[in-house]
Structure formats: structure tokens, C-alpha cells
Amino acid sequence: MTGSLTGAGNGRFSVRKNLKRVLEGGILLLTLLFAGCGEKPDPHPDWDPAWVRAAMAIGVETPEGFAVAEQNDTLSLSGIWYYTWTSGEGRTYTNEEEEEATVYDAQIYLLVRECRSDAEAAAEVEGWMAREAESYQTGDTKELSANGQAFQALPLISGRENNPYTHGAAAFATRDGMAISAELLCADSFEGEAEEVLETFLGGFHYE
């Protein structure tokens, strides 16, 4: 589930909020369980310390014009890692259900899920891609290779009514039993080309 921020009438706003609740709800429990435990040694001491460590298996460079916003890896024991980057000043958006969120000129969502097999990871990706069509008019799927990793890229042509993010691009991949979703959502105020920006972002992935 890549779940993006959307207007009323579709489930993506709630899906995003539910994911955040799951992530935040587990933080306190895991913090208590592991309080006092020593930090694990860095498996990639040669990696740039500025890179985000997604699932500790992918080093992610922050693209120009974006800033790291969230790094929710506390639920890694459940096999879920979730990160966001934002561009522009945040502003409050309220949908028709009176749910509030902060939106930006553009926002990147990265979700990594550790699965039990490559087949399960592929099924997860298939489900994520199908759900994109519930919130956006999508273009044809394209094959994309970025830094040696194959992705299925999906243009997000237009969002549903009242969605503050009007367009964007998404890409999906499997690697070593992991399902990977990278989603760039853009407001009309964003001046970059969505597919090019996302491809640059994916080119900044470094793997084990």
C-alpha cells in the first residue's frame, strides 16, 4: 500500500492515516521492549552517513530540493519500513470528512516490506499497483532500470476531485524478498517533471 493523500470519497487518505497510526502505535511498545539494548553495528560503514537506511539494505540519497520528513523504521520487526521526503513549505489541508493533514509542493513516499518469499513480494507489488488506479488516472506501465535495479514505473496522470496532489509518478520493484514502492505526489505548484524527479530519486538508491 503506497497510500497517498487524497480528498474525500476515496480511501487513500484514510489508508495513509491508518498506516501512520499503526506505525506510531507500535513505537512506544517497541521502545519499551528494547530500551537499554545496545545499538547494532552498522552493516554498511562505508555508506554515506547522510543516506537514509531503508530496511538497512538500501541506502537512499535525498534528492535535490527535498528534505527528509519521516523515518518510521521502528516497526522493522514486523517487516515494514516507511519514509517520506518533502519539497516546499507545508500547508494544512482539510478534506470533506474534516480530516487534516499537511501537504507540500511535492512529497515522496518510500515503503519497503520484507516478505517471506519473492513470490509474496511480487504479489504485494501487484496489489500496490492496482490500488494506485483507485486514486489516480494512470498511464501505461513502463520498465525502468535505476542503478542496476529494475522497476515498474507508473505515471499518475491526474488525481480524483479534491485531491491536493494532482499528479505524480510511482515505481515498484522486488529485491531479495522485499517489496519496494516509491511514490512521488505533486501539487500544481510543483515545477519539476514528476517522472524525471522520481527516476533521479531511484538512481540514488544503493544496495547491498
Side-chain angles (χ1 to χ4, degrees), residues 4 9 13 17-18 29 56 59 61-63 77 79 83 96 108 128 130 137 146-147 151 163 166 171 191 199:
S4 54
F13 184 92
K17 293 192 68 171
N18 288 340
L29 175 60
M56 295 306 293
E61 297 182 38
T62 296
L77 290 180
Y83 312 88
E96 294 179 5
I108 296 172
W128 287 345
Q137 177 188 350
N147 205 13
F151 288 88
N163 187 341
T166 57
E191 297 181 353
E199 185 171 354

Side-chain angles (χ1 to χ4, degrees), residues 14-53:
S14 297
V15 167
R16 179 71 69 191
K17 293 192 68 171
N18 288 340
L19 173 61
K20 287 176 66 65
R21 287 171 184 156
V22 169
L23 292 167
E24 293 167 356
I27 288 175
L28 178 59
L29 175 60
L30 291 176
T31 299
L32 292 173
L33 286 173
F34 295 95
C37 294
E39 292 186 2
K40 294 182 179 180
D42 186 350
H44 306 289
D46 56 323
W47 281 4
D48 190 324
W51 296 348
V52 169
R53 308 297 183 89

Side-chain angles (χ1 to χ4, degrees), residues 89-169:
E89 294 295 325
R91 50 194 180 275
T92 300
Y93 167 79
T94 304
N95 72 359
E96 294 179 5
E97 297 174 353
E98 301 301 320
E99 295 175 308
E100 290 188 354
T102 302
V103 301
Y104 300 84
D105 293 339
Q107 189 156 2
I108 296 172
Y109 299 90
L110 174 62
L111 181 63
V112 179
R113 181 166 187 177
E114 189 176 57
C115 301
R116 290 172 292 185
S117 65
D118 290 340
E120 183 179 288
E124 188 76 8
V125 163
E126 184 177 348
W128 287 345
M129 295 182 68
R131 282 191 284 274
E132 286 290 1
E134 297 175 5
S135 298
Y136 286 89
Q137 177 188 350
T138 59
D140 294 333
T141 303
K142 305 175 183 178
E143 296 297 325
L144 170 66
S145 178
N147 205 13
Q149 172 64 46
F151 288 88
Q152 298 180 72
L154 190 64
L156 308 179
I157 298 171
S158 62
R160 292 188 177 185
E161 186 178 1
N162 299 322
N163 187 341
Y165 291 127
T166 57
H167 63 288

Side-chain angles (χ1 to χ4, degrees), residues 55-68:
M56 295 306 293
I58 308 172
V60 183
E61 297 182 38
T62 296
E64 183 177 356
F66 285 79
V68 178

